[in-house]
Structures are given as structure tokens and as C-alpha cells.
Amino acid sequence: DIQMTQSPSTLSASVGDRVTITCRASQSISHYLAWYQQKPGKAPKLLIYGASTLEGGVPSRFSGSGSATDFTLTISSLQPDDFATYYCQHYHTYPYTFGQGTNLEIK
Amino acid sequence: QLQLQESGPGLVKPSETLSLTCTVSGDSITSSSYYWAWIYQPPGRGLEWIGTIYYSGSSYSGSTYYNPSLKSRVSISIGASKTQFSLKMTSVTAADTAIYFCARDREGVGTFDSWGQGTLVTVSS
């Protein structure tokens, strides 16, 4: 199985900050990477797929980049609604696997 | 508008079979553009893909793909009404206690663009 490792596990930031979350795959997954946002008690929400393509309706302050094994999710200017847990997920081959999550909390 | 809703028992005894159903409205399970998946999340932990089904048109069971770590215990099928798909997991233990989500896999590429709200299943005697 391809292992996905996110860093950091917890990130403290303030409204207006620019933040970056990193995801590393244990082997090359090309651009087959998605990012999700999950709030407590809710289902995950797809933000980005194809490593950098924004899902419809997702604010443009979210962006993704990377390929092969190293990927990043960037939020350009944090808004109050962005404090949540973020997961990366590869879909290069079965089985699909997720990162362990990054908890983005208010500083 | 697409909606997915999980249903099933919230409590299952150890060694028994967990059975959940996902009811899909606002879209067709038989659409060739979509696959349908189950994903679970143990309390306070991350997400794990259980498996995916694609309606092949030839049978209710569809084409299925399972996580090898669970393959011997799980099965996913499509209901006769073609508005539901189901998950069965046998020989459950406390480690299977989790929130179970059903989701749509857009075009079968592995991106989950719509999710149910999730249902908590507790394995306990």
C-alpha cells in the first residue's frame, strides 16, 4: 500500500495567515492526489483533486501543488471558517489511502 | 441535488455482521459516470477506504474493489431498487467501531465528491 504522511499534525495559526500543509507519498503517485476538509461531526469535503484543481465552489484562497511524492495545500489568507482538519488522499492505485490529518487550529 | 444517507444498526456485537445501507437520491447509482464507496473513520482517527462498487449493468452485485486489509470480511452490493448500495462486514471486533461514510466516487477515479453524513457503529457486547 502507498503510505501518505502529512505534516504538521497540528498547526496553530491566526485569521489572515498564509498556511501550508505538506503531504508525502511513499512512492510516486503522479498527480493523483486529493485534499479534503473535515469539520467536527461532519463528513469530509473535497477541496482539490489532481493535486492542483480546485473543486467547484471552493474559495480561491485554497491552492494545491506538487507531483510524484511531495504535495502541498496552501491557504493564502485564513478565514474563520477554515479552522478544521485537512486530509490528503492518493488515488493512484487501489487501495486508496489517506494521510493521518492536519488539525488547523486557532492560535 | 445529490444526497446520500447511511442507515443501519448503531450497535453490533463482537463476532457478528455489520450491515449498513446507503440511500442515494438526486442521482442514479446506475450512471456510468459514478462509482460508489464506503469509507470509515474510527473515533478520533483518520479515514480509511473500505471499498468501491460500480454498477456494471449485468448484475446487482456490480464490479467491486476492496481494501486488501478488509477484503476477507467485507462485501458491497447494489440493491434491487438501484437506489441503494450496502456494506456487510463480518466477524467485527471493537476495532471496527467507527463512523461509516458512504460516498460518490466521481468517474471512478478515486475522488470522493459527495458524502453521506456518516453513521456511528459501535461494536460492543
Side-chain angles (χ1 to χ4, degrees):
Chain A
D1 299 1
I2 297 173
Q3 306 304 314
M4 308 300 294
T5 304
Q6 289 181 232
S7 61
S9 296
T10 303
L11 180 57
S12 298
S14 303
V15 172
D17 285 353
R18 178 184 179 90
V19 299
T20 296
I21 298 169
T22 297
C23 178
R24 176 164 289 177
S26 60
Q27 65 187 72
S28 176
I29 58 171
S30 184
H31 61 283
Y32 297 109
L33 184 100
W35 289 97
Y36 299 84
Q37 176 194 68
Q38 186 179 32
K39 296 182 178 179
K42 301 293 186 182
K45 173 187 174 183
L46 177 64
L47 298 176
I48 287 170
Y49 61 94
S52 61
T53 302
L54 212 59
E55 176 72 349
V58 174
S60 59
R61 62 181 180 272
F62 291 91
S63 64
S65 65
S67 64
T69 61
D70 294 303
F71 303 86
T72 58
L73 171 70
T74 299
I75 309 173
S76 59
S77 178
L78 273 175
Q79 299 302 302
D81 190 50
D82 299 338
F83 292 96
T85 300
Y86 292 84
Y87 293 94
C88 62
Q89 175 231 331
H90 90 81
Y91 51 99
H92 180 265
T93 51
Y94 292 121
Y96 304 142
T97 55
F98 294 81
Q100 81 279 15
T102 294
N103 180 29
L104 177 55
E105 61 180 28
I106 301 174
K107 183 183 288 185
Chain B
Q1 182 178 352
L2 176 68
Q3 288 189 320
L4 296 90
Q5 178 68 58
E6 304 88 351
S7 60
L11 181 65
V12 181
K13 289 183 167 58
S15 80
E16 295 191 344
T17 296
L18 177 160
S19 296
L20 295 174
T21 295
C22 181
T23 300
V24 179
S25 58
D27 201 349
S28 172
I29 286 180
T30 61
S31 168
S32 61
S33 298
Y34 305 126
Y35 289 41
W36 306 91
W38 288 97
I39 293 156
Y40 75 143
Q41 184 172 36
R45 296 182 59 185
L47 300 156
E48 184 166 354
W49 172 73
I50 297 172
T52 292
I53 190 164
Y54 170 64
Y55 179 73
S56 61
S58 60
S59 71
Y60 295 149
S61 61
S63 299
T64 51
Y65 310 87
Y66 299 122
N67 192 322
S69 68
L70 298 166
K71 186 174 183 178
S72 64
R73 297 196 295 127
V74 302
S75 65
I76 299 174
S77 61
I78 292 175
S81 66
K82 308 294 191 300
T83 61
Q84 296 178 327
F85 63 104
S86 299
L87 169 70
K88 290 190 186 300
M89 180 183 291
T90 62
S91 305
V92 296
T93 69
D96 297 313
T97 293
I99 298 172
Y100 287 75
F101 296 99
C102 59
R104 185 177 74 176
D105 176 353
R106 184 170 57 204
E107 297 182 0
V109 298
T111 54
F112 305 109
D113 65 342
S114 293
W115 296 64
Q117 64 185 25
T119 187
L120 174 63
V121 178
T122 301
V123 179
S124 176
S125 56

